[in-house]
């Protein structure tokens, strides 16, 4: 009997997460120089890191031989001040993906279940299955969350409900009032993970303050990231805000040094750089408008998006994706989400968006 066969069945049956294709990989495969490749596949920040975060990261590199502060005192202090929460409510993660994992580690036993929407973030089922727990996937409504159906799907085994708002990969958005009303009806012993990875891209009229609901709903966990709008995807940094009892449990199971010394320093500087954040959001608004008007012109339907990406129906997603790759443009096929006719495209800089539109036009011809 092999050692691999001794791994639990729920681990052996997992399918790994499919990330966006790295630029270097496409360059190796096609011979296209890396500098000529446009990657719009992983919802990364097209401006890179904020200049202030870069300076802080470079300075922190000097301390690279030291362990980071496992309790992330300075970063938590910055977050607590920015959002008016207590440091005891915070958990820091190696990206917000880490927080999703930590939440399942802290709250799921084999046989428990989680509830999430069809066409929602791929890590929810992965993290659930890795704990030997069961997924209750609820049919989407207009490619987004059907909160009424999700509520009805909760059963005695349910420990976590995941809600991504805006959602990835469909970009759909739920008004804050609907989530608040949902929280009022969810059993209080079920943790609701509100994943706000793309919240910084929301226009003012769509914003809501979920952190302010925690006092009323101690079963709410708000998860956020600095990997998208703040541009720290490669450094990995996220945080969650919850009731201190929930944070305490999560802090017991996370790795003691799960946020690097460089990520913590860059994160503190990034949080202060509101000018950069504004520039990023503005570019996103313009880019999203440009891509969607091009889709309309090309006769393609798309899902109205509240994130830094847009999902477009191209017919044969795999074929169009191949044709784009040949032209040095990487986007994200989402057949794995059950959407084989669609491609998800991250918003880039204006010239990257134009490269994509031109390549798409050629691919469709
Ligand atoms: C909805 C959602 N949540 C969480 C994440 C995790 O991002 P990160 O770990 O980079 O913070 C992503 C990344 O794609 C996402 O789309």
């Amino acid at each position: 009997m092999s050692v691999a066969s001794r791994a639990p069945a729920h681990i052996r049956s997992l399918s790994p997460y499919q990330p966006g294709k790295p630029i270097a990989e496409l360059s190796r495969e096609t011979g296209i120089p890396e500098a000529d490749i446009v990657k719009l596949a992983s919802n990364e920040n097209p401006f890179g890191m904020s200049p202030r975060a870069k300076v802080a990261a470079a300075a922190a590199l000097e301390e690279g031989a030291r362990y980071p502060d496992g309790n992330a005192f300075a970063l938590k202090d910055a977050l607590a001040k920015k959002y008016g929460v207590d440091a005891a409510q915070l958990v820091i993660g190696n990206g917000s993906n880490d927080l999703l994992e930590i939440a399942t580690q802290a709250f799921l036993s084999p046989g428990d279940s989680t509830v999430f929407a069809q066409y929602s973030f791929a890590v929810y089922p992965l993290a659930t299955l890795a704990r030997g727990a069961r997924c209750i996937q609820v049919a989407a409504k207009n490619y987004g969350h059907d909160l009424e159906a999700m509520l009805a799907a909760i059963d005695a085994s349910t420990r976590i409900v995941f809600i991504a708002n805006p959602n990835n990969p469909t970009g759909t958005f739920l008004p804050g009032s609907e989530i608040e009303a949902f929280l009022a009806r969810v059993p209080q012993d079920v943790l609701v993970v509100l994943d706000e990875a793309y919240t910084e891209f929301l226009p003012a009229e769509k914003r809501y303050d979920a952190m302010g609901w925690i006092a009323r709903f101690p079963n709410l966990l708000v998860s956020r990231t600095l990997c998208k709008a703040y541009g720290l995807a490669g450094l990995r940094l996220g945080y969650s805000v919850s009731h201190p009892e929930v944070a305490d449990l999560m802090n017991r199971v996370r790795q003691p040094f799960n946020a690097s010394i460089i990520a913590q320093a860059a994160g503190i500087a990034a949080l202060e750089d509101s000018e950069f954040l504004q520039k990023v959001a503005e570019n996103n608004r313009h880019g999203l408008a440009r891509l969607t008007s091009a889709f309309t012109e090309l006769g393609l339907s798309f899902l109205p998006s509240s994130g830094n990406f847009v999902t477009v129906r191209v017919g044969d997603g795999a074929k169009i994706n191949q044709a784009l790759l040949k032209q040095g443009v990487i986007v994200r096929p989402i057949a794995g989400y059950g959407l084989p006719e669609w491609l998800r495209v991250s918003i880039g800089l204006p010239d990257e968006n134009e490269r994509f539109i031109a390549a798409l036009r050629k691919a469709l011809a």
Side-chain angles (χ1 to χ4, degrees):
M1 189 166 279
S2 75
V3 66
S5 69
R6 287 299 196 178
H10 63 265
I11 300 295
R12 282 184 280 121
S13 59
L14 283 178
S15 310
Y17 179 80
Q18 301 268 323
K21 198 180 198 50
I23 290 176
E25 188 179 305
L26 183 63
S27 178
R28 279 196 303 274
E29 287 171 1
T30 59
I32 301 172
E34 288 191 20
D36 293 340
I37 292 174
V38 170
K39 184 182 176 206
L40 302 174
S42 300
N43 303 342
E44 292 153 341
N45 194 318
F47 290 102
M49 288 161 66
S50 105
R52 282 158 77 166
K54 226 183 248 182
V55 169
L61 192 58
E62 294 299 320
E63 296 298 314
R66 302 242 172 242
Y67 281 99
D69 175 358
N71 289 318
F73 177 85
L75 175 60
K76 284 187 184 171
D77 190 51
L79 288 165
K81 289 197 173 105
K82 190 174 170 81
Y83 295 114
V85 297
D86 201 280
Q89 295 183 263
L90 291 161
V91 182
I92 305 300
N94 183 35
S96 62
N97 197 138
D98 195 23
L99 298 158
L100 303 173
E101 291 283 347
I102 293 168
T104 60
Q105 237 176 307
F107 285 91
L108 295 182
S109 302
D112 290 342
S113 69
T114 66
V115 168
F116 52 86
Q118 180 189 20
Y119 311 138
S120 199
F121 189 40
V123 165
Y124 307 153
L126 270 177
T128 300
L129 296 169
R131 311 281 162 242
R134 186 169 56 91
C135 298
I136 302 179
Q137 184 179 286
V138 177
K141 188 163 93 181
N142 298 326
Y143 296 94
H145 296 71
D146 182 344
L147 290 183
E148 205 56 46
M150 288 175 73
L151 198 61
I154 295 170
D155 67 22
S157 70
T158 305
R159 296 286 168 272
I160 301 179
V161 176
F162 291 105
I163 299 175
N165 201 43
N167 186 43
N168 173 27
T170 60
T172 53
F173 174 75
L174 290 165
S177 56
E178 290 182 23
I179 300 172
E180 204 177 356
F182 175 82
L183 285 164
R185 296 167 66 200
V186 167
Q188 292 227 334
D189 61 349
V190 172
L191 183 73
V192 177
V193 174
L194 180 58
D195 178 349
E196 297 189 333
Y198 301 97
T199 200
E200 292 84 4
F201 296 102
L202 291 177
E205 67 274 14
K206 284 187 172 172
R207 301 223 167 188
Y208 57 93
D209 175 24
M211 292 178 194
W213 301 337
I214 293 168
R216 257 184 309 142
F217 305 116
N219 56 329
L220 170 64
L221 179 118
V222 179
S223 119
R224 297 256 183 109
T225 185
L226 281 91
C227 298
K228 308 288 182 188
Y230 287 101
L232 304 187
L235 294 188
R236 315 297 300 128
L237 193 64
Y239 60 94
S240 67
V241 187
S242 63
H243 188 280
E245 275 182 11
V246 172
D248 174 46
L249 286 167
M250 289 173 59
N251 276 318
R252 293 184 207 187
V253 293
R254 70 172 173 81
Q255 282 187 39
F257 304 108
N258 63 336
S260 78
I261 205 163
I262 302 168
Q264 290 189 35
I268 294 166
L271 287 170
E272 288 169 357
D273 199 345
S274 49
E275 210 176 297
F276 177 77
L277 200 65
Q278 209 173 328
K279 179 171 89 167
V280 168
E282 207 160 300
N283 176 73
N284 195 65
R285 252 191 314 281
H286 290 140
L288 191 55
R290 172 67 186 119
L291 290 192
T292 53
S293 78
F295 296 152
T296 304
E297 188 203 312
L298 290 165
L300 302 175
S301 51
F302 60 88
L303 302 175
S305 174
S306 294
N308 64 342
F309 55 89
V310 57
T311 294
V312 57
R313 189 175 219 147
V314 293
D316 185 340
K319 188 175 134 204
I320 300 297
N321 182 50
Q322 281 308 318
L324 291 171
L325 289 174
K326 271 194 199 139
Q327 299 176 76
V329 176
I330 312 176
V331 300
R332 185 72 78 93
I334 47 175
Y337 280 96
L339 296 166
E341 296 182 357
W342 301 75
L343 293 173
R344 192 196 70 190
V345 189
S346 305
I347 310 303
L349 296 173
D351 59 325
E352 295 175 319
N353 298 335
E354 295 309 322
R355 269 280 308 275
F356 162 69
I357 292 167
L360 179 64
R361 189 170 278 129
K362 220 163 139 184
L364 291 164

